[in-house]
mmCIF file of all heavy atoms in Angstrom:
data_model
loop_
_atom_site.group_PDB
_atom_site.id
_atom_site.type_symbol
_atom_site.label_atom_id
_atom_site.label_comp_id
_atom_site.label_asym_id
_atom_site.label_seq_id
_atom_site.Cartn_x
_atom_site.Cartn_y
_atom_site.Cartn_z
ATOM 1 N N GLY A 341 -65.369 -2.428 12.559
ATOM 2 C CA GLY A 341 -65.194 -1.451 11.737
ATOM 3 C C GLY A 341 -66.371 -0.468 11.341
ATOM 4 O O GLY A 341 -66.346 0.562 10.822
ATOM 5 N N LYS A 342 -67.638 -1.058 11.717
ATOM 6 C CA LYS A 342 -68.896 -0.356 11.467
ATOM 7 C C LYS A 342 -69.130 0.563 12.656
ATOM 8 O O LYS A 342 -68.618 0.523 13.791
ATOM 9 C CB LYS A 342 -69.976 -1.321 11.261
ATOM 10 C CG LYS A 342 -69.716 -2.350 10.168
ATOM 11 C CD LYS A 342 -70.824 -3.419 10.170
ATOM 12 C CE LYS A 342 -70.477 -4.554 9.208
ATOM 13 N NZ LYS A 342 -71.500 -5.557 9.164
ATOM 14 N N GLU A 343 -69.918 1.616 12.378
ATOM 15 C CA GLU A 343 -70.293 2.568 13.426
ATOM 16 C C GLU A 343 -71.065 1.974 14.692
ATOM 17 O O GLU A 343 -71.014 2.318 15.718
ATOM 18 C CB GLU A 343 -71.082 3.762 12.887
ATOM 19 C CG GLU A 343 -70.280 4.630 11.984
ATOM 20 C CD GLU A 343 -71.046 5.844 11.465
ATOM 21 O OE1 GLU A 343 -72.154 5.979 11.902
ATOM 22 O OE2 GLU A 343 -70.444 6.596 10.631
ATOM 23 N N SER A 344 -71.815 0.802 14.253
ATOM 24 C CA SER A 344 -72.631 0.205 15.232
ATOM 25 C C SER A 344 -71.868 -0.593 16.267
ATOM 26 O O SER A 344 -72.451 -0.891 17.368
ATOM 27 C CB SER A 344 -73.647 -0.664 14.522
ATOM 28 O OG SER A 344 -73.032 -1.627 13.851
ATOM 29 N N LEU A 345 -70.593 -0.825 16.046
ATOM 30 C CA LEU A 345 -69.837 -1.530 17.086
ATOM 31 C C LEU A 345 -70.445 -2.792 17.474
ATOM 32 O O LEU A 345 -70.841 -3.111 18.630
ATOM 33 C CB LEU A 345 -69.396 -0.770 18.254
ATOM 34 C CG LEU A 345 -68.282 0.235 18.087
ATOM 35 C CD1 LEU A 345 -68.012 0.801 19.351
ATOM 36 C CD2 LEU A 345 -66.960 -0.612 17.710
ATOM 37 N N THR A 346 -70.471 -3.752 16.553
ATOM 38 C CA THR A 346 -71.102 -5.143 16.790
ATOM 39 C C THR A 346 -70.102 -6.180 16.374
ATOM 40 O O THR A 346 -69.379 -6.019 15.512
ATOM 41 C CB THR A 346 -72.429 -5.341 15.977
ATOM 42 O OG1 THR A 346 -72.172 -5.235 14.640
ATOM 43 C CG2 THR A 346 -73.497 -4.364 16.382
ATOM 44 N N VAL A 347 -70.169 -7.364 17.205
ATOM 45 C CA VAL A 347 -69.353 -8.483 16.797
ATOM 46 C C VAL A 347 -70.276 -9.674 16.861
ATOM 47 O O VAL A 347 -71.379 -9.651 17.369
ATOM 48 C CB VAL A 347 -68.192 -8.649 17.772
ATOM 49 C CG1 VAL A 347 -67.181 -7.591 17.705
ATOM 50 C CG2 VAL A 347 -68.856 -8.691 19.313
ATOM 51 N N GLU A 348 -69.689 -10.706 16.034
ATOM 52 C CA GLU A 348 -70.553 -11.853 15.900
ATOM 53 C C GLU A 348 -69.871 -13.078 16.579
ATOM 54 O O GLU A 348 -68.708 -13.334 16.419
ATOM 55 C CB GLU A 348 -70.685 -12.229 14.489
ATOM 56 C CG GLU A 348 -71.640 -13.451 14.133
ATOM 57 C CD GLU A 348 -71.703 -13.781 12.700
ATOM 58 O OE1 GLU A 348 -71.232 -12.989 11.842
ATOM 59 O OE2 GLU A 348 -72.304 -14.870 12.307
ATOM 60 N N MET A 349 -70.616 -13.788 17.452
ATOM 61 C CA MET A 349 -70.137 -15.036 18.110
ATOM 62 C C MET A 349 -70.612 -16.244 17.304
ATOM 63 O O MET A 349 -71.669 -16.231 16.837
ATOM 64 C CB MET A 349 -70.656 -15.033 19.530
ATOM 65 C CG MET A 349 -70.254 -16.406 20.246
ATOM 66 S SD MET A 349 -70.675 -16.336 22.008
ATOM 67 C CE MET A 349 -69.290 -15.605 22.689
ATOM 68 N N TYR A 350 -69.635 -17.043 16.939
ATOM 69 C CA TYR A 350 -69.879 -18.239 16.120
ATOM 70 C C TYR A 350 -70.929 -19.020 16.863
ATOM 71 O O TYR A 350 -71.050 -19.114 18.132
ATOM 72 C CB TYR A 350 -68.651 -19.172 15.855
ATOM 73 C CG TYR A 350 -67.675 -18.512 14.968
ATOM 74 C CD1 TYR A 350 -66.443 -19.050 14.713
ATOM 75 C CD2 TYR A 350 -68.005 -17.297 14.325
ATOM 76 C CE1 TYR A 350 -65.434 -18.328 13.967
ATOM 77 C CE2 TYR A 350 -67.119 -16.614 13.437
ATOM 78 C CZ TYR A 350 -65.862 -17.308 13.217
ATOM 79 O OH TYR A 350 -64.986 -16.673 12.424
ATOM 80 N N ASP A 351 -71.828 -19.783 16.063
ATOM 81 C CA ASP A 351 -73.034 -20.595 16.593
ATOM 82 C C ASP A 351 -72.744 -21.697 17.328
ATOM 83 O O ASP A 351 -73.474 -22.025 18.258
ATOM 84 C CB ASP A 351 -74.010 -20.790 15.435
ATOM 85 C CG ASP A 351 -73.328 -21.465 14.294
ATOM 86 O OD1 ASP A 351 -72.044 -21.752 14.483
ATOM 87 O OD2 ASP A 351 -73.957 -21.971 13.420
ATOM 88 N N ASN A 352 -71.504 -22.304 17.180
ATOM 89 C CA ASN A 352 -71.394 -23.560 17.908
ATOM 90 C C ASN A 352 -70.408 -23.201 19.155
ATOM 91 O O ASN A 352 -69.302 -22.841 19.013
ATOM 92 C CB ASN A 352 -70.419 -24.535 17.169
ATOM 93 C CG ASN A 352 -71.522 -25.350 16.166
ATOM 94 O OD1 ASN A 352 -72.489 -25.469 16.453
ATOM 95 N ND2 ASN A 352 -70.885 -25.790 15.172
#
Side-chain angles (χ1 to χ4, degrees):
K342 304 171 185 175
E343 291 185 3
S344 57
L345 274 184
T346 59
V347 293
E348 182 182 352
M349 178 171 271
Y350 289 173
D351 51 357
N352 279 333

